[in-house]
Short mmCIF file of all heavy atoms in Angstrom, two decimals:
data_model
loop_
_atom_site.label_atom_id
_atom_site.label_comp_id
_atom_site.label_asym_id
_atom_site.label_seq_id
_atom_site.Cartn_x
_atom_site.Cartn_y
_atom_site.Cartn_z
N HIS A 259 -84.06 -80.40 -189.87
CA HIS A 259 -83.17 -80.50 -191.03
C HIS A 259 -83.95 -81.03 -192.22
O HIS A 259 -84.73 -81.98 -192.10
CB HIS A 259 -82.00 -81.43 -190.72
CG HIS A 259 -80.78 -81.13 -191.53
ND1 HIS A 259 -79.76 -80.32 -191.06
CD2 HIS A 259 -80.43 -81.50 -192.77
CE1 HIS A 259 -78.84 -80.22 -191.99
NE2 HIS A 259 -79.21 -80.93 -193.05
N SER A 260 -83.69 -80.43 -193.37
CA SER A 260 -84.32 -80.92 -194.59
C SER A 260 -83.24 -81.66 -195.39
O SER A 260 -82.07 -81.30 -195.34
CB SER A 260 -84.85 -79.72 -195.37
OG SER A 260 -84.98 -80.06 -196.72
N THR A 261 -83.66 -82.68 -196.13
CA THR A 261 -82.67 -83.42 -196.93
C THR A 261 -82.31 -82.66 -198.20
O THR A 261 -81.49 -83.11 -198.98
CB THR A 261 -83.18 -84.83 -197.29
OG1 THR A 261 -84.42 -84.69 -197.98
CG2 THR A 261 -83.36 -85.69 -196.06
N GLY A 262 -82.94 -81.52 -198.43
CA GLY A 262 -82.51 -80.66 -199.54
C GLY A 262 -83.46 -80.65 -200.71
O GLY A 262 -83.92 -81.70 -201.16
N SER A 287 -76.33 -76.26 -189.80
CA SER A 287 -76.70 -76.39 -191.22
C SER A 287 -75.47 -76.56 -192.09
O SER A 287 -74.34 -76.43 -191.62
CB SER A 287 -77.43 -75.13 -191.68
OG SER A 287 -78.67 -75.03 -191.05
N GLY A 288 -75.73 -76.77 -193.38
CA GLY A 288 -74.63 -76.90 -194.34
C GLY A 288 -74.79 -75.90 -195.47
O GLY A 288 -75.73 -75.11 -195.50
N LEU A 291 -75.65 -77.91 -201.80
CA LEU A 291 -75.22 -79.26 -202.15
C LEU A 291 -75.91 -79.64 -203.46
O LEU A 291 -77.13 -79.56 -203.56
CB LEU A 291 -75.66 -80.21 -201.03
CG LEU A 291 -74.96 -81.54 -200.87
CD1 LEU A 291 -73.46 -81.38 -200.69
CD2 LEU A 291 -75.53 -82.29 -199.65
N GLN A 330 -70.77 -76.45 -189.62
CA GLN A 330 -69.73 -77.40 -189.24
C GLN A 330 -68.42 -76.61 -189.14
O GLN A 330 -68.26 -75.59 -189.81
CB GLN A 330 -69.53 -78.50 -190.29
CG GLN A 330 -70.76 -79.17 -190.84
CD GLN A 330 -71.10 -78.64 -192.21
OE1 GLN A 330 -71.06 -77.44 -192.44
NE2 GLN A 330 -71.46 -79.53 -193.12
N ASP A 338 -67.84 -84.03 -191.56
CA ASP A 338 -68.93 -83.69 -192.50
C ASP A 338 -68.56 -82.44 -193.29
O ASP A 338 -68.88 -82.34 -194.48
CB ASP A 338 -70.25 -83.47 -191.76
CG ASP A 338 -71.40 -83.23 -192.75
OD1 ASP A 338 -71.59 -84.07 -193.64
OD2 ASP A 338 -72.07 -82.19 -192.67
N TYR A 342 -68.72 -83.27 -197.07
CA TYR A 342 -69.84 -82.55 -197.71
C TYR A 342 -69.35 -81.78 -198.93
O TYR A 342 -69.91 -81.86 -200.02
CB TYR A 342 -70.38 -81.59 -196.64
CG TYR A 342 -71.72 -80.94 -196.85
CD1 TYR A 342 -72.87 -81.50 -196.31
CD2 TYR A 342 -71.83 -79.72 -197.51
CE1 TYR A 342 -74.10 -80.87 -196.44
CE2 TYR A 342 -73.06 -79.09 -197.64
CZ TYR A 342 -74.18 -79.67 -197.09
OH TYR A 342 -75.40 -79.04 -197.21
N ARG A 345 -68.26 -84.28 -201.65
CA ARG A 345 -69.41 -84.91 -202.35
C ARG A 345 -69.99 -83.95 -203.37
O ARG A 345 -70.37 -84.33 -204.47
CB ARG A 345 -70.49 -85.30 -201.34
CG ARG A 345 -70.13 -86.54 -200.51
CD ARG A 345 -71.08 -86.71 -199.34
NE ARG A 345 -72.45 -86.88 -199.74
CZ ARG A 345 -73.49 -86.44 -199.02
NH1 ARG A 345 -73.32 -85.82 -197.87
NH2 ARG A 345 -74.71 -86.63 -199.45
N VAL A 351 -73.50 -87.03 -204.13
CA VAL A 351 -74.44 -86.53 -203.13
C VAL A 351 -75.58 -87.51 -202.90
O VAL A 351 -75.88 -87.88 -201.76
CB VAL A 351 -75.00 -85.14 -203.54
CG1 VAL A 351 -76.11 -84.71 -202.59
CG2 VAL A 351 -73.89 -84.10 -203.57
N LEU A 356 -75.08 -91.93 -197.34
CA LEU A 356 -74.25 -90.71 -197.21
C LEU A 356 -75.08 -89.53 -196.71
O LEU A 356 -74.62 -88.74 -195.89
CB LEU A 356 -73.56 -90.37 -198.53
CG LEU A 356 -72.55 -91.41 -199.05
CD1 LEU A 356 -71.91 -90.93 -200.36
CD2 LEU A 356 -71.46 -91.71 -198.01
N ILE A 357 -76.30 -89.41 -197.22
CA ILE A 357 -77.17 -88.31 -196.75
C ILE A 357 -77.52 -88.54 -195.27
O ILE A 357 -77.46 -87.63 -194.45
CB ILE A 357 -78.45 -88.21 -197.61
CG1 ILE A 357 -78.09 -87.82 -199.06
CG2 ILE A 357 -79.42 -87.19 -197.03
CD1 ILE A 357 -79.27 -87.79 -200.03
N CYS A 358 -77.84 -89.78 -194.96
CA CYS A 358 -78.21 -90.10 -193.57
C CYS A 358 -77.06 -89.75 -192.61
O CYS A 358 -77.25 -89.07 -191.61
CB CYS A 358 -78.56 -91.59 -193.48
SG CYS A 358 -78.78 -92.13 -191.80
N SER A 360 -74.48 -87.79 -193.07
CA SER A 360 -74.17 -86.36 -193.07
C SER A 360 -75.14 -85.62 -192.15
O SER A 360 -74.74 -84.82 -191.29
CB SER A 360 -74.26 -85.84 -194.51
OG SER A 360 -74.31 -84.44 -194.54
N ILE A 361 -76.42 -85.90 -192.32
CA ILE A 361 -77.42 -85.16 -191.53
C ILE A 361 -77.39 -85.61 -190.07
O ILE A 361 -77.30 -84.78 -189.16
CB ILE A 361 -78.84 -85.37 -192.12
CG1 ILE A 361 -78.92 -84.68 -193.49
CG2 ILE A 361 -79.91 -84.81 -191.18
CD1 ILE A 361 -80.24 -84.82 -194.21
N LYS A 364 -74.51 -84.41 -187.84
CA LYS A 364 -74.67 -83.01 -187.39
C LYS A 364 -75.72 -82.93 -186.29
O LYS A 364 -75.54 -82.21 -185.30
CB LYS A 364 -75.10 -82.12 -188.57
CG LYS A 364 -74.01 -81.89 -189.60
CD LYS A 364 -74.34 -80.75 -190.55
CE LYS A 364 -75.28 -81.11 -191.67
NZ LYS A 364 -74.74 -81.93 -192.74
N PHE A 384 -83.06 -84.95 -203.73
CA PHE A 384 -82.07 -86.00 -204.04
C PHE A 384 -82.77 -87.35 -204.19
O PHE A 384 -82.36 -88.17 -204.99
CB PHE A 384 -80.99 -86.07 -202.96
CG PHE A 384 -80.18 -84.81 -202.89
CD1 PHE A 384 -80.09 -84.06 -201.74
CD2 PHE A 384 -79.51 -84.36 -204.02
CE1 PHE A 384 -79.35 -82.89 -201.70
CE2 PHE A 384 -78.78 -83.19 -204.00
CZ PHE A 384 -78.70 -82.45 -202.83
N1 LIG B 797 -78.25 -82.10 -196.03
C1 LIG B 797 -77.10 -82.48 -195.43
O1 LIG B 797 -76.71 -81.90 -194.42
N2 LIG B 797 -76.40 -83.49 -195.96
C2 LIG B 797 -76.79 -84.14 -197.06
O2 LIG B 797 -76.11 -85.06 -197.47
C3 LIG B 797 -77.99 -83.76 -197.70
C4 LIG B 797 -78.71 -82.72 -197.16
#
Side-chain angles (χ1 to χ4, degrees):
H259 206 95
S260 157
T261 56
S287 292
L291 201 56
Q330 313 102 316
D338 185 54
Y342 194 95
R345 286 168 60 213
V351 173
L356 296 181
I357 295 176
C358 171
S360 165
I361 293 179
K364 289 194 280 287
F384 296 122

